[in-house]
Amino acid sequence: VPEEEKCCHCVREELQEVMPETDPHVLEETILYKVSLPGPGVFQCSETGLGFEVESAVSIVYSYATWTTHLSKDDQKKWEPVGPLFNIWALPGAVRAVRLPHFICLADVDISECAIAHFEFQMMTIQKPTKVMDFSAVLENPSFSLLGVVWRRLRSTVSLPMHSLVLIFQQLCAANTTLHLYLIPDDRSVKKAIEKQEMRWNSKLIPKPPPFSPLFFGCRYQVSSTSHVEITPEPHLPFCYKSPKEQQLFVEIYFRNMKEEIEFLMTDRRNDTVVWRALLRPGRIRLLCLQGAAFLKKHKTELCSRMGQLSTILLHLRATDVINSDEEQEVEARNTRQKKNQFLLDLVEKKGLKAQEKFLRILQEKDPFLIEHLEN
């Protein structure tokens, strides 16, 4: 990215990442994450971005919560959510500090307006963070329940600069090439909700870089292309923060044939400034409807012996309606990992082509190194 097109000087702190366990037996809407931290240090959840500083081994359980459920209308007039809301459980005093992710670009803002909302017994209290970092707010000696980062709403019309993401999904097996393009704050809870919805719609994520300029809530951003494409319902998106449980806004992009690369642009309608650009190449855009069945047939023996993270895979298969809870229990009832894998693969094969494609995409997300090794 050219120097003049870089967002800012915000830098993500590099922490030791931990992969959480997920509870496959809870409802899809309330997935629980659990990390068992081995000892002293600062750790970050690889799935949520939530960070913990601890002085000894400890187990912590947490889940996403919804701002609209807990933040009253009066409080919404005073405070603006700028990161996901978490419900956290841990033994009192076990966590020295928690690092709550936010998406404010701190380059030119007054961080004194940053605060942490703490909900307990249906009441909200505001706490001052110990430290505000580029992508997180630190709270020492936290009392856990519901916690999230908020920003005081000012009377001035100045809007806050936000880190954001552009997500592009290709609708597999749709007529010609159909894409869904989303513009969202850099919030992993929203991103995961969109990915889950698109998976139900039989879509595949096409990774692209984020905007190279901070964006502003309430502004509209124009989507355009160097080639002829159809953009519906209209070629611009309002930038806003919607709950993960709400339907997120997107534009549908349609084109018939793709013989050479296509450039997409996003511009700020206030001043026609380009804030994002990306190229799509013909080799990347292709229909993959039968790939899942072909992959499963080719590598079934290796998958039986090598496939891991079974609980997580089962959770996502159930969330996308490939299997039901009874079938999940049948898989778990087998007494060895290889037998569990064998039973699951047989089950997915019986479900048909769409089920096998969903299985492959879940495996690509959860164990890309295994996929790459088998394909190579």
Side-chain angles (χ1 to χ4, degrees), residues 21-36:
E21 300 174 21
T22 54
D23 189 340
H25 300 295
V26 296
L27 294 176
E28 174 189 348
E29 292 80 5
T30 54
I31 294 175
L32 293 179
Y33 299 93
K34 178 183 178 181
V35 290
S36 297

Side-chain angles (χ1 to χ4, degrees), residues 104-117:
I104 294 291
C105 178
L106 299 183
D108 296 304
V109 299
D110 179 6
I111 62 172
S112 65
E113 304 301 333
C114 180
I116 293 175

